[in-house]
Amino acid sequence: MVQTPTSRGRAQDRARVAGGQEHEVKYEATKKGVSKDAVKKAVKSAGNSRKKVEAEIGRR
């Protein structure tokens, strides 16, 4: 039986920023126009939720 591909997990993955993944940190830094260090600090202080990280970056 062939398993059909689903989008399960994709929305959850996009809702998070993995601070240890260099490509995700770089993407978020470029998107917001800040340094990669600023994104890493925001992930550490606000958690890995993309909305919270973007809000934290906006406060700085």
Side-chain angles (χ1 to χ4, degrees):
M1 205 172 187
V2 177
Q3 189 175 16
T4 57
T6 64
S7 62
R8 188 173 135 201
R10 288 187 181 179
Q12 292 173 350
D13 190 41
R14 290 185 181 134
R16 308 239 181 264
V17 178
Q21 296 289 322
E22 201 62 34
H23 64 278
E24 287 198 25
V25 173
K26 183 180 175 184
Y27 169 77
E28 196 66 34
T30 304
K31 179 179 165 185
K32 290 296 184 178
V34 296
S35 69
K36 290 190 283 185
D37 288 334
V39 174
K40 287 182 181 183
K41 287 178 185 176
V43 170
K44 267 192 171 181
S45 67
N48 65 348
S49 168
R50 190 168 301 275
K51 288 182 181 179
K52 289 182 180 178
V53 169
E54 290 176 358
E56 182 70 24
I57 291 172
R59 281 188 224 146
R60 294 181 182 191

